[in-house]
Amino acid sequence: MRREWEPEDLIASWTLIKPDWELIGSKPGATRLGFAVLLKFFEIEGRFPAYAAEVPEQAVAYLAEQVGVDVALFAKYQWSGRTSERHRAQVRKALGFRECSEADQETLAEWLSREVCPTELRREALRDAVLAHCRSEKVRLEPPTFGQISRLVGSALRMFEERFCRTIEQQLDATDGVVQRLEQLAGSGEDRKSAAGGGEQFLYELKTDPGVLGTETFRREVAKLERVKALRLPTDLFDGWTEKLVTAWRDRAARCFPSDLAESPRQVRLTLLAALCHARTTEITDSLVELLIQLVLKIDTRAERRVEKELTTDLKRVTGKTGILYRVAEAAVAYPDETVRRVIYPVAGEATLRELAKEAKAEREVFNSKVRTVLRGSYSHHYRRLLPDLLAALEFRGNNTTHRPVMDAIELLQRYKDIPVSDRPYYSRSDRVPLEGVVPREWRDAVIDDKDRVERIPYELCVLKALREAIRRREIWVVGANRWCNPDDDLPTDFEDNRDVHYAAIKAPLDGTEFVADLKTRLTTALTWFDTALARGNTGGVRITTRHGEGWISVPSMDKVAEPPSLDALKSEVQRRWGTIDLLDILKEADFLTGFTSEFSSVMSREVLPVGVLRRRLLLVLFALVISSGSEGVFDVHDGLLRSGDSPGGRGYLRPSITRIPGRFDACSAGGDARLTA
């Protein structure tokens, strides 16, 4: 129950009404006040307070004033015994509740396992669900005690886990050979060597994320996806189960050593491995799509930078241009409010500027032509070898007929993926090669030769660039992906029936024209403000420039924000009381009291470092991450404890374990550890 109450809320919730006075009757002193507290507390919370301090002091004082009893007498009320039991029975009878029996607890556990556990696994949320269910009009049951609810929640989770694992095990047993392939993942020795896809480190590789962007990274992820698909899990294995549930089992499997999996019961082991492989299939597919998007952008950006560097060098060699540019810039800065004809023309001349503009336009065409040439060379000599793997690993789909040309182009690439370019550099005239919506106008001359033939390499580049943009707009999606899945699947299943409810939740109108009109109004207003600020010169450094010959809004880097005065005051008070505290000492003391470093586990099959050494290294890594100084600097000043590259984990390694640390502290606090309370 909340501790602070506003006067209005206090009056609305804690005021005794006529039926309450009939129940209170002529009870005297502490008994009178204690009964009133039990009655109103149960009305609000649907349960009795576990101890006196759970009742807000404001509420006790307000009730004491109403019943005409000194508030100090509340401390004398007996919370156990026959009087208290009689009072509770009176309250339950008056409010239509009944006491919770052992049979009721079993019923609650069964209800929780069937109705709530499939969508929620957090114990605190399950506890709240039990309390809410007991208070419902259909049940009207006094909730069990905190300890009973904890045991009830544990029982419900066990029942649900058994039912969930049994269902998954039955589906796996019904699929030929899949159980054997999954068991090989958690096997040892020769079993692991014969795992799907080969390699005794397959389970470890399955848990790892992609490395630095590059062609080898892309190939490793494609090979990993092929090995996971080789397990041939049923496509509908987790249909009907929530994504949150599958993710929880996937995370649990990722924390398990192979030995942990081998020691688990068969149905638990198979469920863990199936959840891991199923989730990793979608995650790897997502990572491949993201790698594709980044690679296409990387190819494009590198080509532009290379050509820009060459043209900049050529520009510097042309005499006179730099001087003209300097004079124009100097005049513009000196007289910003004057007209171009009055300030710029005298220093450069109108004819000279026209010639420069004409030459710049020609240079832009040269620039685009050179970019296409560099792109072609970079793609054909290095990145093109990824195309067969890409087309084999990812299956693209589209719901929008506008982007059907891109899908047709992908199908064309699919047909030609195994034909060497040296044998057939052009597409056959009998092939229908989509151009509109795939090949931009400025690329047409590079793609189509003078004999009206379509060259494969530049066409493939255009297809990849068009595919990248369509994927980013979610107009083309990827089968088996999660983030890049069919956008129609993002809608709730009841969207059509409850469209008004869902639109209200995102505060959007049902009428599309109304939404567009409002958006136009807001954009026009914002641009008007920006235009006014530009004219007044108070944009805070934001300005309009050009980039690659196109308009560009430049935003300056933000200055460092000053620390809040309250934070300075807090630091000063801490230093005044305890002096300077070494963060590393705090981490060491926290580990001494709770042993939280034992929550960090390796994903490898074994650990060879002594526990003491690993403990020291983990503390130093945490210390380095907290102060954002990097591990190397910390380790250098600690007797070379770690060599370069020996760090036991980065943020991705630490994140799952860090989420379990608060539970370790709570357990120590609940256990009454004297060292924590000292």
Side-chain angles (χ1 to χ4, degrees):
M1 174 173 281
R2 58 183 172 137
R3 309 304 301 168
E4 300 295 332
W5 290 74
E6 295 294 331
E8 298 82 3
D9 296 335
L10 201 64
I11 293 171
S13 301
W14 294 89
T15 299
L16 296 168
I17 57 178
K18 184 177 179 180
D20 300 336
W21 287 110
E22 293 174 357
L23 289 171
I24 293 173
S26 59
K27 293 181 176 66
T31 303
R32 185 180 182 85
L33 178 57
F35 181 84
V37 168
L38 289 179
L39 177 62
K40 301 309 290 185
F41 191 99
F42 198 98
E43 281 185 3
I44 297 169
E45 290 289 299
R47 63 180 179 87
F48 292 111
Y51 45 87
E54 192 176 2
V55 186
E57 293 181 1
Q58 292 171 291
V60 176
Y62 181 61
L63 286 171
E65 182 181 350
Q66 293 181 76
V67 299
V69 174
D70 185 0
V71 69
L73 292 177
F74 182 63
K76 297 182 179 180
Y77 182 75
Q78 299 296 320
W79 291 88
S80 60
R82 287 182 296 176
T83 301
S84 175
E85 290 297 326
R86 187 171 63 253
H87 287 175
R88 291 169 186 257
Q90 286 179 310
V91 171
R92 282 193 292 266
K93 183 178 178 180
L95 298 179
F97 280 74
R98 58 187 176 83
E99 194 171 2
C100 186
S101 64
E102 290 187 6
D104 290 325
Q105 292 184 39
E106 293 177 1
T107 303
L108 283 173
E110 181 65 26
W111 169 83
L112 199 63
S113 69
R114 290 192 176 277
E115 301 296 330
V116 186
C117 288
T119 58
E120 183 58 72
L121 296 175
R122 292 179 295 119
R123 288 179 175 268
E124 187 64 29
L126 293 175
R127 179 178 175 273
D128 292 341
V130 171
L131 295 175
H133 184 65
C134 291
R135 287 196 294 263
S136 65
E137 290 295 330
K138 281 182 64 176
V139 180
R140 307 292 283 178
L141 181 70
E142 179 190 352
T145 64
F146 182 84
Q148 289 173 333
I149 291 180
S150 298
R151 291 191 292 273
L152 184 152
V153 166
S155 175
L157 285 172
R158 284 192 297 274
M159 285 191 290
F160 171 72
E161 180 176 306
E162 290 175 2
R163 185 167 61 252
F164 175 62
C165 292
R166 186 167 57 251
T167 303
I168 299 301
E169 182 186 33
Q170 290 171 354
Q171 288 181 265
L172 293 174
D173 285 335
T175 307
D176 185 39
V178 70
V179 171
Q180 181 183 2
R181 291 189 289 272
L182 284 174
E183 290 283 18
Q184 289 171 348
L185 288 179
S188 59
E190 295 301 321
D191 286 342
R192 201 183 308 169
K193 291 180 181 178
S194 60
E200 61 180 15
Q201 292 296 326
F202 179 46
L203 185 60
Y204 164 69
E205 293 173 8
L206 190 60
K207 298 177 182 180
T208 58
D209 291 325
V212 181
L213 174 65
T215 55
E216 291 306 316
T217 303
F218 196 93
R219 283 187 160 180
R220 282 198 304 270
E221 290 300 297
V222 168
K224 192 189 300 181
L225 181 61
E226 289 175 349
R227 294 208 299 269
V228 178
K229 288 182 175 179
L231 295 170
R232 294 195 291 278
L233 292 176
T235 55
D236 60 346
L237 182 61
F238 292 101
D239 285 359
W241 304 104
T242 63
E243 183 181 346
K244 184 188 296 185
L245 173 64
V246 179
T247 301
W249 279 80
R250 172 246 187 264
D251 294 341
R252 179 176 165 184
R255 295 192 296 268
C256 288
F257 294 107
S259 58
D260 297 331
L261 292 170
E263 294 169 2
S264 300
R266 181 179 185 268
Q267 62 181 16
V268 174
R269 179 172 62 253
L270 291 177
T271 304
L272 286 169
L273 291 170
L276 176 64
C277 295
H278 173 83
R280 288 300 289 153
T281 301
T282 59
E283 291 168 3
I284 294 171
T285 303
D286 280 337
S287 68
L288 280 174
V289 177
E290 288 161 10
L291 284 172
L292 167 65
I293 291 172
Q294 294 172 26
L295 275 173
V296 175
L297 178 63
K298 182 179 178 181
I299 297 169
D300 214 355
T301 305
R302 279 190 171 182
E304 287 194 3
R305 287 178 180 172
R306 179 176 169 185
V307 175
E308 278 180 350
K309 187 176 180 180
E310 293 176 359
L311 291 181
T312 302
T313 304
D314 292 340
L315 179 65
K316 290 179 180 178
R317 287 199 294 265
V318 178
T319 58
K321 287 184 181 178
T322 306
I324 294 172
L325 179 62
Y326 174 75
R327 292 197 299 273
V328 169
E330 191 177 47
V333 171
Y335 305 99
D337 298 327
E338 298 291 340
T339 62
V340 173
R341 187 173 299 279
R342 182 172 178 180
V343 175
I344 304 299
Y345 283 177
V347 298
E350 183 177 358
T352 303
L353 291 176
R354 288 184 184 277
E355 289 299 322
L356 283 174
K358 184 178 179 181
E359 185 178 343
K361 183 178 180 180
E363 286 179 351
R364 184 64 190 173
E365 295 175 357
V366 172
F367 174 81
N368 291 333
S369 176
K370 285 192 174 184
V371 167
R372 290 193 291 269
T373 302
V374 173
L375 270 174
R376 174 182 174 137
S378 176
Y379 172 72
S380 62
H381 291 101
H382 184 64
Y383 293 103
R384 190 180 181 278
R385 55 184 176 173
L386 297 177
L387 186 62
D389 296 334
L390 167 68
L391 296 175
L394 300 179
E395 183 180 351
F396 300 99
R397 298 278 180 85
N399 302 334
N400 193 336
T401 55
T402 305
H403 290 83
R404 189 63 217 174
V406 180
M407 295 300 302
D408 293 338
I410 294 173
E411 293 175 6
L412 179 63
L413 265 59
Q414 186 82 32
R415 293 201 302 270
Y416 275 79
K417 69 176 182 179
D418 297 325
I419 303 175
V421 176
S422 57
D423 295 345
R424 192 182 295 180
Y426 299 94
Y427 290 109
S428 172
R429 293 185 182 275
S430 61
D431 291 320
R432 194 176 70 85
V433 183
L435 296 176
E436 197 65 36
V438 178
V439 181
R441 295 289 179 187
E442 61 269 19
W443 274 80
R444 293 293 173 92
D445 292 339
V447 172
I448 305 173
D449 69 356
D450 52 0
K451 296 181 181 179
D452 226 18
R453 296 177 300 180
V454 178
E455 192 174 352
R456 287 175 59 185
I457 288 181
Y459 184 77
E460 289 172 1
L461 263 173
C462 293
V463 172
L464 291 177
K465 294 177 74 171
L467 176 63
R468 175 183 182 270
E469 295 304 318
I471 290 175
R472 293 180 68 211
R473 292 192 297 264
R474 302 294 299 276
E475 288 157 346
I476 288 180
W477 50 278
V478 181
V479 176
N482 183 24
R483 179 182 176 186
W484 308 101
C485 65
N486 186 351
D488 291 346
D489 295 340
D490 293 339
L491 293 175
T493 54
D494 63 338
F495 181 77
E496 290 299 331
D497 297 331
N498 300 301
R499 182 185 289 264
D500 54 340
V501 176
H502 293 294
Y503 272 78
I506 61 175
K507 299 179 181 179
L510 286 169
D511 186 4
T513 56
E514 181 183 345
F515 173 80
V516 172
D518 176 64
L519 182 61
K520 284 182 177 180
T521 302
R522 289 188 285 118
L523 288 174
T524 302
T525 303
L527 288 172
T528 302
W529 288 347
F530 182 47
D531 185 61
T532 304
L534 280 173
R536 294 175 179 174
N538 58 355
T539 60
V542 180
R543 56 195 176 88
I544 295 180
T545 62
T546 58
R547 185 174 181 181
H548 306 318
E550 299 176 355
W552 193 264
I553 297 178
S554 175
V555 180
S557 301
M558 295 183 64
D559 296 331
K560 183 179 178 182
V561 179
E563 285 190 353
S566 56
L567 183 59
D568 289 335
L570 180 62
K571 289 180 179 178
S572 300
E573 182 62 20
V574 169
Q575 192 165 16
R576 186 188 67 80
R577 292 191 183 189
W578 297 291
T580 303
I581 303 175
D582 192 334
L583 178 59
L584 190 56
D585 288 339
I586 294 178
L587 289 171
K588 288 165 56 182
E589 187 69 13
D591 188 41
F592 172 70
L593 295 176
T594 65
F596 72 85
T597 51
S598 62
E599 295 291 343
F600 295 92
S601 59
S602 172
V603 297
M604 299 295 288
S605 58
R606 61 195 180 98
E607 292 180 356
V608 296
L609 286 175
V611 175
V613 174
L614 183 59
R615 188 178 187 183
R616 292 175 64 198
R617 294 187 180 186
L618 282 170
L619 289 174
L620 288 174
V621 168
L622 289 171
F623 175 63
L625 290 174
V626 170
I627 64 175
S628 301
S629 65
S631 300
E632 294 81 1
V634 177
F635 299 141
D636 287 344
V637 299
H638 285 82
D639 303 325
L641 186 59
L642 287 181
R643 299 183 303 277
S644 175
D646 284 348
S647 173
R651 293 180 188 272
Y653 165 84
L654 298 173
R655 191 175 293 112
S657 301
I658 288 174
T659 59
R660 301 194 298 271
I661 291 176
R664 175 62 68 107
F665 280 90
D666 292 342
C668 291
S669 299
D673 195 320
R675 296 174 298 176
L676 283 176
T677 57

